[in-house]
């Protein structure tokens, strides 16, 4: 079992290194892309705006880390904070349409690379990978919650 654990660590670190060191996402940090993706998916689904706290929970980030990311995105005019009219204590986040292209350019570039990956591995294998990665992620979240 220890040998398998070591192999998991090795492949996890290798994959993380490939993704981060080759900067799949060039002009924005990983966390900035993550926030934009959450806000973009929310916008596409036409669901209600999200608060920083809700995004924090989705990303499993500390509030201090989230504030740094949000301040950077706000400074670069990619997002804006919108105070609730009903509850002045609530502040929602939204993407700024005029600058949405900064995120969408990165998103399209990554989608193009993932399309190449699908071509190399085949649809069936990619579906298996998605299923396994989902199961692994869900299981790790459960383990971390239990050991919290």
């Amino acid at each position: 079992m220890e040998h398998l654990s070591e192999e998991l660590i090795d492949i996890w670190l290798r994959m993380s290194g490939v993704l981060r060191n080759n900067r799949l996402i060039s002009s924005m940090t990983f966390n900035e892309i993550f926030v934009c993706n959450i806000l973009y998916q929310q916008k596409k689904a036409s669901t209600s705006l999200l608060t920083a706290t809700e995004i924090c929970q989705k990303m499993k980030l500390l509030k201090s880390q989230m504030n740094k990311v949000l301040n950077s995105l706000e400074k670069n005019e990619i997002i804006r904070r919108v105070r609730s009219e009903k509850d002045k204590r609530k502040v929602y986040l939204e993407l700024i349409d005029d600058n949405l292209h900064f995120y969408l350019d990165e998103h399209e570039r990554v989608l193009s690379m993932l399309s190449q990956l699908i071509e190399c591995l085949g649809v069936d294998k990619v579906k298996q990978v998605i299923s396994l990665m989902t199961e692994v992620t869900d299981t790790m979240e459960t383990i971390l919650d239990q050991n919290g």
Side-chain angles (χ1 to χ4, degrees):
M1 182 103 126
E2 185 177 330
H3 179 68
L4 274 177
S5 295
E6 290 293 339
E7 284 188 50
L8 275 171
I9 289 172
D10 289 346
I11 195 61
W12 186 280
L13 292 173
R14 182 174 161 214
M15 189 165 103
S16 296
V18 166
L19 295 175
R20 288 185 189 259
N21 293 336
N22 289 310
R23 293 298 299 206
L24 282 180
I25 300 154
S26 59
S27 66
M28 299 172 82
T29 69
F30 175 82
N31 285 335
E32 288 171 345
I33 287 290
F34 201 164
V35 167
C36 287
N37 189 356
I38 291 169
L39 293 174
Y40 181 65
Q41 297 306 323
Q42 169 270 323
K43 186 180 189 76
K44 276 185 12 183
S46 298
T47 57
S48 58
L49 295 175
L50 299 169
T51 65
T53 301
E54 291 167 324
I55 294 174
C56 236
Q57 291 166 348
K58 287 178 182 275
M59 292 178 62
K60 311 270 191 258
L61 279 182
L62 299 173
K63 285 186 180 184
S64 59
Q65 293 170 305
M66 178 58 69
N67 280 331
K68 181 178 177 190
V69 172
L70 296 178
N71 287 339
S72 173
L73 289 170
E74 193 172 36
K75 179 182 172 195
N76 291 318
E77 298 181 340
I78 295 170
I79 66 161
R80 78 174 127 244
R81 298 171 204 237
V82 181
R83 191 162 300 279
S84 169
E85 291 182 15
K86 293 179 184 176
D87 182 350
K88 296 295 181 192
R89 295 169 297 172
K90 278 194 173 184
V91 178
Y92 296 103
L93 303 169
E94 70 178 355
L95 291 167
I96 297 174
D97 287 336
D98 290 346
N99 293 327
L100 188 55
H101 65 90
F102 289 116
Y103 167 71
L104 290 178
D105 290 348
E106 295 293 339
H107 189 72
E108 289 302 319
R109 199 168 70 76
V110 171
L111 288 178
S112 174
M113 283 187 273
L114 293 175
S115 292
Q116 292 174 39
L117 180 68
I118 293 167
E119 285 179 31
C120 291
L121 296 178
V123 171
D124 290 339
K125 217 177 227 183
V126 170
K127 285 182 179 180
Q128 289 175 334
V129 168
I130 291 168
S131 177
L132 284 170
M133 288 177 78
T134 300
E135 186 177 351
V136 167
T137 302
D138 291 347
T139 304
M140 280 304 296
E141 283 180 334
T142 300
I143 291 168
L144 291 171
D145 287 346
Q146 290 170 350
N147 293 311

